[in-house]
């Protein structure tokens, strides 16, 4: 289930707020400039190609491209049997920013976005049908867990795709990881 947990960075052991209510999640994220939507489910085969996935969500993707000026969209997928899963996980675990919005729509599976605002960290466990748009310059990181299983549509303004500027802060190492939040349900 989609869950938002809000932590105080100085007391990261326990979330001070936890909600699974999509409307409340949307409202709380909107106060920080984060776009959160849930799109209708599309029936797709388990082995759907990038083209099939982008075609199934073509109306939503076209709307976001028009509204936000995105130039490209692609699909990223990771499964537990990927031999490089730990390297992929490590790549996203440190706090970073981007010079463009980071947009992900979860076609299947789940992943955990951490968003750092002042002394608060919002941890959003995104699930199938969730769209999250993290504005450029927002400090954040992503944890896909030790056994990643997800497929996401990504939208980019920069045709070169994902480019991170790491902050060098250790905040990501001080908060509960995917395993703890997935087990606790938030």
């Amino acid at each position: 289930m989609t869950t938002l947990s809000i932590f105080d960075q100085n007391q990261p052991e326990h979330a001070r707020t936890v909600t699974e209510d999509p409307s409340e999640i949307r409202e709380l994220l909107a106060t920080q400039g984060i776009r959160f939507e849930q799109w209708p489910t599309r029936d797709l085969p388990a082995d759907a190609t990038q083209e099939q996935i982008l075609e199934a969500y073509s109306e939503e993707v076209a709307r976001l491209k028009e509204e936000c000026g995105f130039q490209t969209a692609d699909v990223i997928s990771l499964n537990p049997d990927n031999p490089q899963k730990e390297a992929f996980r490590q790549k996203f675990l440190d706090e970073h920013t981007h010079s463009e919005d980071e947009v992900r729509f979860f076609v299947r599976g789940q992943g955990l976005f951490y968003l750092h605002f002042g002394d608060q960290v919002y941890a959003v466990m995104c699930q199938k049908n969730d769209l999250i748009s993290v504005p450029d310059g927002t400090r954040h990181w992503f944890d896909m867990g030790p056994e990643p299983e997800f497929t996401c549509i990504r939208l980019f303004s920069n045709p070169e795709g994902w480019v991170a500027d790491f902050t060098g802060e250790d905040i990501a190492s001080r908060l509960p990881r995917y395993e703890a939040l997935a087990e606790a349900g938030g």
Side-chain angles (χ1 to χ4, degrees), residues 33-183:
I34 305 298
R35 181 181 196 152
F36 176 81
E37 299 176 1
Q38 292 183 313
W39 292 354
T41 300
R42 303 288 195 277
D43 290 325
L44 291 166
D47 62 347
T49 65
Q50 173 170 289
E51 292 75 21
Q52 290 171 314
I53 292 168
L54 290 174
E55 177 60 31
Y57 292 96
S58 62
E59 288 181 29
E60 291 89 346
V61 169
R63 176 178 53 88
L64 285 178
K65 282 183 172 182
E66 184 176 321
E67 282 179 24
C68 305
F70 296 115
Q71 301 297 309
T72 62
D74 70 5
V75 175
I76 184 169
S77 190
L78 202 59
N79 294 307
D81 62 353
N82 187 307
Q84 295 181 313
K85 66 185 177 188
E86 184 58 32
F88 283 125
R89 184 182 190 194
Q90 290 302 315
K91 179 179 179 180
F92 305 111
L93 276 180
D94 289 326
E95 185 183 69
H96 59 275
T97 63
H98 301 286
S99 61
E100 68 174 300
D101 294 359
E102 181 167 347
V103 181
R104 299 292 180 269
F105 172 70
F106 284 78
V107 174
R108 71 171 180 88
Q110 66 182 21
L112 184 58
F113 275 91
Y114 294 83
L115 311 162
H116 187 188
F117 306 108
D119 63 353
Q120 296 182 348
V121 176
Y122 287 48
V124 187
M125 181 67 78
C126 292
Q127 304 277 331
K128 178 180 179 178
N129 300 333
D130 289 345
L131 172 112
I132 189 166
S133 180
V134 180
D136 66 344
T138 301
R139 292 172 169 251
H140 68 284
W141 63 97
F142 179 71
D143 190 349
M144 62 186 72
E147 298 296 321
E149 188 160 357
F150 65 88
T151 299
C152 288
I153 295 175
R154 308 183 301 175
L155 290 108
F156 297 102
S157 300
N158 177 352
E160 294 178 20
W162 192 87
V163 180
D165 181 20
F166 291 93
T167 66
E169 298 291 327
D170 72 345
I171 183 74
S173 66
R174 292 186 274 137
L175 275 101
R177 291 271 161 111
Y178 176 99
E179 299 87 331
L181 294 180
E183 279 181 20

